[in-house]
Amino acid sequence: MADIIDITTDRQQAIDAGCAVLGEGFPIAIPTETVYGLAADATNPAAITRIYETKGRPRFNPLICHMSDLAMAEEHAVFDPVSRALAEAFWPGPLTIVLPLKAESHIHALATAGLDTVGIRVPKGFAGELIRAFGRPLAAPSANTSGKISATSADHVEADLGGRIKLILDAGASAVGVESTIVKVEDGKLRLLRPGGLPASEIERVAGQKLLRSKKASAAIEAPGMLASHYAPGAAVRLDATQIVAGEALIAFGTTKVPGSDDARIVLNLSRDGDLAEAAANLFDYMKKADASGAATIAFSTIPDEGLGEAINDRLRRAAAPRE
Ligand code: TXA
Ligand code: MG
């Protein structure tokens, strides 16, 4: 079983133990402000291979490489002016920028899936400190079995991967609750590759341009599997529910009462106040709770498609997609 170290009681011990396991070439679970990551040395091919084995991810997809700061990122990637402005405005934070990889970078091709670009993110708080202490970038997908719901607490990680990893660093519930927003500049134009924890409108404000959202581009660039079933609970998922069938689980939003909800197996409300940040923070935990209730179907109320709602709705569509 994995050791679990609470970073709030022993931050230095957590950093030392984390660096030791990472240095041996094994992945560890780390807290970030978005979701928990399964992190390994991005320059060590054996360590990256273990991430894929641990997650049961069938293919070698590009992984986000996490850096301690912009200076470390500049050792590995070439920044155009728009990307630099976004990095300066939003790092550390829930934004990943895809950039041309520098020839001298030691990030291994298994982390970039052999692409000549690299997805970089500077996480907030403890994860950034850990990377600074380790001295090398960490490749880290979400710390969950491939295709399943992402982990937003150490308990989630332990329940899913606890038997397969050596160490979980516990910082409590992830503040943002959905993965980072991913963007890429192409020919001076900014493209949204994945909606996430940083609302698109904030990126547009700093970049001074609209984000391009092209299904075709994201299908080509995003890892296989990203567009198909993902974030899948055991139960079926039904979106935009306006009526509950007896025995379904209801995940509601706001104060509108959903007819039939008195006969629901469980009712969870992402945010009674209609606050999308609160809803994002609760999303994956509530999906797991609804699933654990034993309901055959989880019904979701409509979530507004603005701000963080874009990322929430993206995850819900994937959760509802036909399973392979
Ligand atoms: O919030 C997050 O981003 C979390 C936490 C742990 O930081 N990490 C995460 O990582 O979601 P990951 O490795 O699962 O994200 C991988 C996705 C790929 O499926 C792809 O869409 C995109 O990041 N990506 C990574 N490198 C890319 C590249 N070079 N070109 C295009 N997309 C890339
Ligand atoms: Mg994931």
Side-chain angles (χ1 to χ4, degrees):
M1 286 304 283
D3 285 335
I4 302 180
I5 300 177
D6 182 343
I7 72 134
T8 55
T9 55
D10 207 336
R11 211 172 176 93
Q12 192 56 48
Q13 191 211 346
I15 288 177
D16 293 346
C19 287
V21 179
L22 291 168
E24 291 163 8
F26 288 91
I28 65 171
I30 62 166
T32 86
E33 76 277 42
T34 57
V35 298
Y36 275 68
L38 185 65
D41 183 345
T43 68
N44 179 340
I48 301 162
T49 300
R50 289 188 178 109
I51 292 179
Y52 288 99
E53 288 171 353
T54 304
K55 283 184 63 93
R57 193 138 135 172
R59 302 175 195 85
F60 289 84
N61 301 328
L63 300 175
I64 293 171
C65 292
H66 297 69
M67 311 275 171
S68 55
D69 48 32
L70 180 56
M72 184 187 268
E74 282 183 299
E75 292 172 26
H76 298 279
V78 184
F79 282 77
D80 60 275
V82 174
S83 296
R84 182 181 303 279
L86 294 176
E88 283 170 353
F90 298 116
W91 283 352
L95 174 69
T96 295
I97 309 176
V98 175
L99 297 155
L101 189 63
K102 278 190 173 169
E104 62 267 33
S105 168
H106 293 297
I107 290 173
H108 196 272
L110 284 177
T112 58
L115 299 172
D116 54 10
T117 55
V118 58
I120 297 185
R121 174 162 112 76
V122 175
K124 238 180 219 160
F126 176 82
E129 282 174 50
L130 177 73
I131 299 164
R132 187 165 297 114
F134 187 60
R136 292 195 286 283
L138 295 180
S142 52
N144 55 274
T145 302
S146 184
K148 298 297 179 197
I149 300 166
S150 303
T152 52
S153 74
D155 287 347
H156 293 165
V157 180
E158 192 192 19
D160 186 0
L161 302 178
R164 281 177 268 165
I165 58 178
K166 290 174 185 251
L167 181 63
I168 300 170
L169 301 181
D170 180 0
S174 305
V176 176
V178 291
E179 294 84 347
S180 60
T181 303
I182 307 180
V183 297
K184 182 184 184 186
V185 173
E186 279 170 345
D187 306 323
K189 297 217 164 59
L190 194 55
R191 215 169 256 293
L192 180 68
L193 300 185
R194 176 177 78 182
L198 182 67
S201 55
E202 293 194 33
I203 297 171
E204 291 175 339
R205 179 176 51 77
V206 168
Q209 58 172 296
K210 284 271 173 206
L211 277 162
L212 300 176
R213 294 169 171 82
S214 152
K215 285 212 174 75
K216 190 173 142 279
S218 59
I221 293 163
E222 279 188 331
M226 282 292 287
L227 296 175
S229 171
H230 212 80
Y231 307 94
V237 171
R238 196 160 70 80
L239 305 182
D240 297 318
T242 51
Q243 170 90 44
I244 295 306
V245 179
E248 285 184 327
L250 168 63
I251 299 189
F253 178 82
T255 48
T256 310
K257 178 141 166 90
V258 183
S261 58
D262 290 341
D263 297 321
R265 190 159 190 131
I266 185 173
V267 179
L268 298 162
N269 199 318
L270 290 171
S271 171
R272 281 183 198 288
D273 296 338
D275 176 347
L276 289 164
E278 184 185 11
N282 286 329
L283 180 66
F284 293 143
D285 186 49
Y286 285 9
M287 283 171 75
K288 285 171 192 265
K289 287 200 169 103
D291 208 18
S293 77
T297 302
I298 306 172
F300 283 85
S301 298
T302 300
I303 313 286
D305 206 31
E306 68 210 26
L308 284 174
E310 186 176 6
I312 295 172
N313 284 319
D314 170 80
R315 305 308 186 266
L316 291 185
R317 274 194 298 274
R318 295 178 203 275
R323 316 273 162 89
E324 280 158 21

